[in-house]
Amino acid sequence: MAKSILQSHSYRVKSKQEAKQLHAQMIRTRAPTSLVLSVYSNLGLLRESLLIFNSLTSPSYVAWKSIIRCYTSLGLFHQSLLSFARMRASAARPDRDVFPSIVKSCTHLMDWKLGQSLHGSIIRVGLEIDVYTGNALMNMYGKVCMGSVRKVFDEMPERDLVSWNTVIAGNAGNGMYREALEMVREMGGAGLKPDSFTLSSVLPIFAEYVDVSRGMEIHGYAIRHGFDSDLFIGSSLIDMYAKCTMVEKSRQIFDFLPQRDAISWNSMIAGCVQNGLFDEGLRLFRRMLENSIKPRHVTFSSIMPACAHLTTMHLGKQLHGYILRCGFDDNEFISSSLLDMYAKCGRIHIARRIFEKMESPDIVSWTAMIMGCALHGHAHDALFLFQQMKVNNVRPNYVAFVAVLTACSHAGLVDQARKLFDSMVGDYGISPGLEHYAAVADLLGRAGRLEEAYEFISSMPREQERTGSVWSTLLAACRVHKNAELAEKVAENIFKIDPENMGAYVLMSNVYSAAGRWKDAARLRIAMKGRGIRKKPACSWIEIKNKVHAFMAGDESHPKYYEIKEALGVLLERMEREGYVPNTDDVLHDVEEEQKRHLLCSHSERLAIAFGIISTPPGTTIRVTKNLRVCVDCHIATKFISKIVGREIIVRDVSRFHHFKDGKCSCGDYW
DNA sequence: TTAGGGTTAG
């Protein structure tokens, strides 16, 4: 009697309060305790469930089942498996409604051995035909062996929507995109319609393919079926559009989501950062915190590249502190992004320390570290790391070769680079891209092997990749080696592809000036003006007491301008006494020598360095960042300055770091 | 019993 009352009640119980009331009623009617237990466990009330369970001297099958399912649903997978073992020892036989939970626990704990033996038990008791059990098994195999997923799926006598979704997710998760999409089609043939689970497996595929038109088809389907306000679909859509470079669309979806969790915030933040909207990414991150959404580990690896690209150390350091407090510092993704940030912000030693603490660095960690060395001109460290990486059975990929070739190109290791280039193609079958060609071509050119460089660039198989920037490196080399003839040939190639290439105009006009062909130089400058082409303005900045001070070339707007100018005057006098001779080669303007000297002194990096010197105590390291390459004269001058004021001056230009100390620079004057 | 977001790029 009591039992039937309870059974009719139990599925309607929705709150703890109701459950308690029912419990009281059950005690009065002397209902079986295992039923009370199932009411509590279905609500995920572990404390209440355990109180009852532990009072049982010999728990029934129903009692075991309840407690196991309660553990699994709360994510307490170890306890769930432990209870299962105890249940078996007590001779209670497992049945259909306990296996799915157990298999799920196994899956989360990645205990594949136990999972397989469970599969054996399931077959022995003939439960492999059960849909729920089969689905749980497929889900487990989806994380280890797709072959087994197919096998279970093919042998299932009955399949439901979850079965299809599980196979599709398995295929998608294992990079078998074609198969996944094929199954979505087949599923329609079996009379089942894709639901929100299906879509959230499919959307990341189109994100990966950068196929926005098919992504939009899915978006349309989601709208028609009311899935577009689904939290999961929302983040997949945000991600898909962002990966297809349509961040505005991502933002629209984000702004209109009825609710947002940490993952939707993260998708949006990552979307901004991946598309170069670093400030916006950081703004959103702050807003996320203001909204009391706790960042997850993924959030940190998404936001860190923003600090790296903006070279804002103090922010990156704050985040590092946060990461340590959260205990996320052993996460590979976070470590890689952290070491990259430190390297890009000039702290190569900290980057190295983080790298060395990593248990098993993956290809990205190695590459970030190699790139960091390249950035700081530590070419031999980079080459050594590249070897070590291979010894550790990490196979170099496209990006790794970009990094190691960059290291060579920053140190003038031309033959090393050619060997690496050949090995990339011959040993690893990687087809070289623009970046690889650019690095080698740059090296050949600067080594004076101009014709070889010309042939090398001309050998690029894909014409569309022979861009202005690849040719420009050679053009710059032609200027240095004063080969006006080849330069003209190169420039012709550039203007054919990219008639607006401002850098090429400037370089070519420099080539003509250097060769004394003033008329030609003037002709080009007029052409530039006519086309409205202007040089990218130079800008340098320095962080003093967490405040960024920016200087443009010839900038007189800084409140301390007169002190800066005075300091530069004093420095110039001392530099000249030490033997400094201004190098006016880079000064394009047709002006008097005296004015050229003045122009050099007003270069943005020099203003920033002088401001750093007068704003910090003696001995403090000066760190300046510049948006273009350091000019030849400023490089010479900074070496003198470092010696005169006895300070280390670190300048990060657009491609690398220069560490100036005692009158020398870490780049060995090769940059 | 099924789902979404992450690190490296002259």
Side-chain angles (χ1 to χ4, degrees), chain A residues 205-407:
Chain A
I205 299 179
F206 297 133
E208 174 87 21
Y209 281 161
V210 195
D211 185 344
V212 76
S213 58
R214 295 186 74 187
M216 281 171 99
E217 274 175 39
I218 303 290
H219 190 184
Y221 182 93
I223 293 172
R224 289 196 298 282
H225 293 79
F227 298 138
D228 58 322
S229 53
D230 180 289
L231 197 55
F232 283 70
I233 300 300
S235 22
S236 294
L237 282 171
I238 291 168
D239 178 59
M240 187 272 294
Y241 281 115
K243 295 239 162 74
C244 297
T245 70
M246 294 171 69
V247 229
E248 326 73 44
K249 195 85 187 151
S250 304
R251 190 51 189 266
Q252 243 175 46
I253 291 164
F254 179 76
D255 286 339
F256 282 104
L257 273 180
Q259 75 239 17
R260 305 183 192 109
D261 66 0
I263 297 184
S264 8
W265 277 94
N266 198 73
S267 305
M268 196 58 240
I269 292 169
C272 288
V273 176
Q274 287 159 359
N275 283 282
L277 304 172
F278 307 123
D279 287 311
E280 187 56 23
L282 287 165
R283 247 197 305 281
L284 277 167
F285 178 69
R286 283 194 204 96
R287 263 188 56 202
M288 172 181 175
L289 298 183
E290 282 160 18
N291 281 276
S292 309
I293 310 280
K294 247 186 100 177
R296 295 158 53 99
H297 48 282
V298 178
T299 319
F300 292 104
S301 42
S302 307
I303 197 68
M304 198 59 75
C307 302
H309 284 278
L310 296 168
T311 53
T312 48
M313 248 287 286
H314 72 277
L315 243 174
K317 239 165 127 179
Q318 275 179 21
L319 285 172
H320 192 179
Y322 205 150
I323 287 162
L324 289 168
R325 285 197 296 281
C326 293
F328 289 156
D329 51 317
D330 57 354
N331 179 291
E332 298 258 309
F333 286 88
I334 293 178
S335 296
S336 297
S337 67
L338 255 180
L339 82 83
D340 177 62
M341 182 277 293
Y342 278 115
K344 289 211 171 85
C345 291
R347 267 52 163 204
I348 186 74
H349 299 291
I350 304 179
R352 195 66 195 241
R353 231 182 299 144
I354 293 170
F355 178 74
E356 258 140 34
K357 263 182 67 187
M358 293 180 77
E359 214 163 286
S360 56
D362 68 356
I363 182 67
V364 176
S365 335
W366 283 98
T367 306
M369 195 63 242
I370 292 169
M371 198 65 213
C373 291
L375 214 55
H376 287 266
H378 302 173
H380 292 284
D381 286 353
L383 285 166
F384 182 71
L385 280 167
F386 190 74
Q387 288 306 324
Q388 285 300 109
M389 175 178 88
K390 291 196 278 188
V391 170
N392 282 276
N393 289 319
V394 176
R395 197 183 157 83
N397 63 7
Y398 187 98
V399 188
F401 274 103
V402 171
V404 73
L405 286 173
T406 302

Side-chain angles (χ1 to χ4, degrees), chain A residues 391-524:
Chain A
V391 170
N392 282 276
N393 289 319
V394 176
R395 197 183 157 83
N397 63 7
Y398 187 98
V399 188
F401 274 103
V402 171
V404 73
L405 286 173
T406 302
C408 293
S409 86
H410 283 178
L413 305 175
V414 55
D415 293 316
Q416 282 277 15
R418 277 227 81 151
K419 260 190 226 151
L420 283 163
F421 187 90
D422 292 340
S423 151
M424 169 172 72
V425 183
D427 302 335
Y428 296 95
I430 299 169
S431 94
L434 175 66
E435 301 94 328
H436 308 106
Y437 275 102
V440 176
D442 183 46
L443 273 163
L444 289 168
R446 284 153 48 103
R449 290 148 72 167
L450 299 176
E451 294 294 338
E452 198 181 337
Y454 189 87
E455 291 307 313
F456 185 73
I457 297 174
S458 305
S459 77
M460 287 177 74
R462 290 182 295 276
E463 199 179 340
Q464 75 275 11
E465 287 196 347
R466 248 175 272 149
T467 59
S469 69
V470 185
W471 285 117
S472 294
T473 59
L474 182 52
L475 192 56
C478 288
R479 186 194 63 164
V480 175
H481 295 280
K482 300 196 180 0
N483 187 335
E485 233 168 88
L486 188 62
E488 279 180 324
K489 220 163 114 187
V490 172
E492 207 176 294
N493 283 322
I494 297 176
F495 295 135
K496 238 189 281 166
I497 314 161
D498 181 9
E500 303 282 291
N501 193 313
M502 175 282 308
Y505 277 99
V506 176
L507 277 169
M508 207 50 222
S509 133
N510 275 326
V511 170
Y512 286 137
S513 302
R517 290 164 62 175
W518 306 113
K519 267 194 187 155
D520 289 318
R523 179 174 53 81
L524 270 188

Side-chain angles (χ1 to χ4, degrees), chain A residues 40-96:
Chain A
Y40 281 130
S41 68
N42 279 339
L43 287 167
L45 297 167
L46 183 64
R47 239 158 55 107
E48 287 75 5
S49 301
L50 277 176
L51 217 57
I52 296 174
F53 184 82
N54 290 335
S55 71
L56 302 171
T57 37
S58 62
S60 65
Y61 171 67
V62 178
W64 280 113
K65 180 197 79 180
S66 300
I67 206 73
I68 288 169
R69 280 171 46 168
C70 190
Y71 277 136
T72 303
S73 69
L74 292 172
L76 301 163
F77 304 118
H78 274 297
Q79 283 91 328
S80 140
L81 290 182
L82 211 67
S83 301
F84 180 68
R86 284 171 51 207
M87 164 184 149
R88 279 182 136 179
S90 77
R93 265 183 45 144
D95 204 353
R96 64 188 305 151

